[in-house]
Amino acid sequence: MEKACKDCKYISKGTNKCPLCGGERLTDRWSGEVIIINPEASEIAKKLGIKSPGRYAAKIKE
Ligand SMILES: [Zn+2]
């Protein structure tokens, strides 16, 4: 099961800790997927506050 970080939205698998920000607030209640390849050139990345390439959840349900 893939989980998304509530703090930075990064999607990870088989871990209890976000590999990107080190946060432990992971959730499986997320939907949509955004793949960021070049954060500096991506409007979506700017909008979501993403600074590193990777896969991110578009929406996280509380
Ligand atoms: Zn994170």
Side-chain angles (χ1 to χ4, degrees), residues 9-61:
K9 299 189 172 77
Y10 190 81
I11 297 170
S12 55
K13 203 176 176 182
T15 176
N16 291 319
K17 223 173 175 185
C18 173
L20 189 67
C21 73
E24 289 175 10
R25 304 193 319 132
L26 303 185
T27 178
D28 52 17
R29 291 172 56 79
W30 58 273
S31 64
E33 189 180 313
V34 180
I35 295 169
I36 304 294
I37 294 157
N38 186 349
E40 266 133 65
S42 167
E43 285 300 319
I44 303 164
K46 279 178 201 159
K47 218 169 163 183
L48 296 175
I50 292 166
K51 293 180 180 74
S52 305
R55 289 172 60 225
Y56 295 85
K59 219 172 205 179
I60 288 175
K61 298 166 197 156

